[in-house]
Each structure stands twice: as structure tokens, then as C-alpha cells.
Amino acid sequence: MSIFGEYTDKYPFFGLIFSLILFMGVYQIGNLITRYKTLDKTFSSISDTEFLKHSFGVVFLIIVLNPILLFFNYSKEIFLITSLTIFLLGIYSILNLSKNSFFFKDLTKINFRNFHHDQYVIIYILIAMLLISLSPNTNADSLDYHLSTAKYIAKYGEFPLNIFHFHERLSGAGEIISAIGIVMGADSFGTLIQCSGLLILYGIFKKISQNNNPDQLIYFLLLLTTPVIFFFISTDKPQLFYICLLTIVFAFLFFDKTRNIKTENIKLIISLIIILVSFISKYSFILTSFCFLILLFFKHIKLKN
């Protein structure tokens, strides 16, 4: 079931390292996707694209792996190979940090004296939340069925079929990401992905503050220190990341001022994909997804007219 399970059980610190390696692998997938310059330009109108690349990787993995786990033979083997590939991509990305990763890119050139005081506080809080997300998961809901479903996927390469465990029957594609971590012995990977949703929000708020007023980062700081955020980042529930993912659609609807027929069609397709991924990852997003679909419909009817 787990490639490195013996080592991470004996030396838990390796599980933390493997979670970070897998995250870098997911980021590298997003980095490859944004090589398509039209796509990169589309997202740059609402956010700093570097803070969105890991989300592209997650969306791509869910779109590819979910139908494989549902309908394909040899899904277990395919899932295992995919998990190992992400791990190797993560190692490659770490070995090429100066070229590929926004985490360390041009770090020595940053003039921290020009930082606004809000940015210092945001960085400290994000680092603290990262450490919390990498800690052992103690949330009852996550242990009851989110992680147990992910463990089942990692072991059998399919979703649970037991009709007597009601919660497992409510599981969605969101558990696929946690299952990748379990395959590689990185139990905290799913929680790390949930926490990484805050990077999506930061990229959007950063773009808004650049276009308007740097002081508007205070709104992100207020959101970041909301007590419920501390609950979300310490659980394996596929919730916070997909809430943050849907803010991309929100930004397209209300903050994007560019008007181009080609990019508007791309934005529509991207928005529909994000809505689909959010819904199949956790069914409680059905109401939010419906509201966004209505808004997208009226926006594009207006643009067409």
C-alpha cells in the first residue's frame, strides 16, 4: 500500500519531508501547464500566477485520476505509478530550485526593507500555519472517513464500496490527493494541500493591492487570522483548498477588468473546470457551484449581447 511506509513509520520526520517533496511535484505539474502562455496571461489578470501553480497541479491530478479510479482496470497500478512520478517531479523541482520554484527564486534579490509591515506578519503566520498543517492529524472527522477512504484508495486503487459505512459513501475526489500522500508514506500531504489554498488567496489579494492600494493586504490578514482557518488547516477535510480554488472564479467575475473574446472563452472553460473539480471533491459545494454557474451564465450572455 505504501512505498516508504516502513521508513516513515519508524522515522516520522521523513513523512514530513516526503509531503514537501510531493507538494513540489504538484507545483512542477502546474509549472508545466503554465508554459502555455495564453493560460499564464489569463490568470495574471487576477493574481500572481506563481501562487496558483500548485492549484493547477491538483486540479489536473483530480481530473485525470478520478475517472481512472472509477472506471479503468489496473487503476491501482496507474495510481501507484502516478504517485511515484509526482514524487520524482518533486525531487527534480527541488534540485532545480533556482530555475523552477517561486519559493527560492531570486530570494537574495529581495529588498525586505521595502516590505509593508502587513507582509511581514502575513509571512510569519503562513509559516506557522504550514508547520501546523504538517503536524499529526487529530481531527475526528478526518480520521473517521477522510483518511480511511484515502487509505482504501491507496490500497485497492478504487473508491470504497462498503454500503454499511455511510460516511465513506459520501467521499469524493478530494480524498485522491490524500491517497497520493499515503502511497508515498506522507500522511500530512493532504493537510498540506488544504493549507496551500491560502497561497491562492494571497496571490489574488496581492494582485488587487498592486492594482489599487497596498494597504488592502490588511483584508487578507484579517481573513488569515479568522479562527475557523486554524481548524481547516489542521484537518484532512477537502474543504479549505476548494473554497480558495473557487475564489479564482470569483475573481474572474468581479475583479477582472480585461475584455477579450479569446481570453473570455478560456476563462469560462477554466471556471467550469474549477466548479466541476470543487463539486466532485466535496458534494457540499453544490450550492456554491450552482450560484457561480448562474453568475457565469448571465455574465457571458451580457458579453455576447
Side-chain angles (χ1 to χ4, degrees):
M1 181 184 67
S2 177
I3 297 176
F4 301 112
E6 296 181 18
Y7 302 101
T8 54
D9 289 342
K10 191 174 182 179
Y11 307 103
F13 180 74
F14 282 105
L16 184 150
I17 299 298
F18 292 165
S19 295
L20 293 174
I21 291 174
L22 285 172
F23 180 80
M24 296 304 296
V26 171
Y27 170 82
Q28 186 64 23
I29 293 174
N31 192 40
L32 294 172
I33 292 173
T34 51
R35 295 285 180 88
Y36 182 51
K37 291 187 177 181
T38 304
L39 190 63
D40 183 69
K41 185 179 179 181
T42 301
F43 282 102
S44 63
S45 63
I46 61 163
S47 175
D48 187 338
T49 313
E50 294 291 342
F51 293 96
L52 300 180
K53 287 182 179 179
H54 69 286
S55 65
F56 302 156
V58 173
V59 170
F60 175 81
L61 288 172
I62 289 177
I63 290 174
V64 171
L65 291 176
N66 189 56
I68 289 175
L69 294 175
L70 287 173
F71 307 115
F72 281 63
N73 295 325
Y74 304 106
S75 56
K76 179 181 177 180
E77 290 76 12
I78 295 173
F79 189 78
L80 181 66
I81 293 170
T82 304
S83 302
L84 187 58
T85 302
I86 297 169
F87 189 81
L88 294 175
L89 279 174
I91 294 175
Y92 169 80
S93 183
I94 291 172
L95 295 175
N96 294 272
L97 285 175
S98 60
K99 297 179 181 179
N100 303 335
S101 175
F102 74 94
F103 293 103
F104 299 96
K105 188 178 182 180
D106 297 329
L107 187 61
T108 56
K109 299 179 182 179
I110 296 176
N111 187 359
F112 289 99
R113 292 181 180 180
N114 295 332
F115 267 35
H116 196 270
H117 63 275
D118 293 341
Q119 290 176 288
Y120 283 113
V121 178
I122 288 171
I123 291 171
Y124 293 146
I125 293 176
L126 285 175
I127 293 174
M129 289 185 170
L130 171 67
L131 295 175
I132 293 172
S133 70
L134 290 171
S135 61
N137 202 320
T138 58
N139 177 258
D141 198 23
S142 299
L143 297 174
D144 176 46
Y145 84 98
H146 291 297
L147 282 172
S148 66
T149 301
K151 184 178 179 180
Y152 188 95
I153 293 171
K155 187 174 182 179
Y156 298 105
E158 60 184 14
F159 287 96
L161 302 175
N162 183 8
I163 63 173
F164 299 106
H165 196 308
F166 180 71
H167 285 163
E168 282 188 350
R169 299 296 293 173
L170 295 176
S171 60
E175 278 72 35
I176 293 175
I177 302 301
S178 300
I180 292 173
I182 290 175
V183 166
M184 304 308 299
D187 296 344
S188 300
F189 178 59
T191 315
L192 177 61
I193 290 295
Q194 298 310 309
C195 182
S196 71
L198 297 174
L199 292 176
I200 301 174
L201 291 182
Y202 179 69
I204 294 173
F205 273 93
K206 182 182 177 185
K207 189 71 175 183
I208 294 171
S209 65
Q210 286 176 348
N211 294 339
N212 299 284
N213 188 342
D215 291 334
Q216 289 187 349
L217 271 176
I218 190 65
Y219 296 114
F220 176 70
L221 184 59
L222 290 172
L223 179 64
L224 197 62
T225 53
T226 305
V228 71
I229 297 294
F230 292 95
F231 166 74
F232 281 138
I233 63 168
S234 61
T235 72
D236 211 83
K237 293 169 66 68
Q239 197 155 352
L240 178 62
F241 177 83
Y242 301 97
I243 292 172
C244 299
L245 190 65
L246 283 169
T247 58
I248 296 175
V249 182
F250 186 86
F252 279 145
L253 286 168
F254 297 104
F255 297 131
D256 184 22
K257 303 302 181 183
T258 60
R259 290 292 179 267
N260 182 284
I261 297 298
K262 183 178 179 180
T263 56
E264 286 300 326
N265 291 332
I266 295 175
K267 290 172 192 174
L268 176 61
I269 295 171
I270 291 170
S271 298
L272 292 175
I273 291 173
I274 289 174
I275 290 171
L276 173 65
V277 168
S278 300
F279 171 67
I280 65 174
S281 296
K282 191 168 180 63
Y283 297 132
S284 58
F285 284 104
I286 185 171
L287 178 60
T288 311
S289 301
F290 177 74
C291 292
F292 276 125
L293 284 172
I294 295 296
L295 290 171
L296 285 170
F297 174 77
F298 282 109
K299 178 187 176 181
H300 283 270
I301 287 294
K302 182 179 178 181
L303 288 174
K304 185 177 180 181
N305 291 336

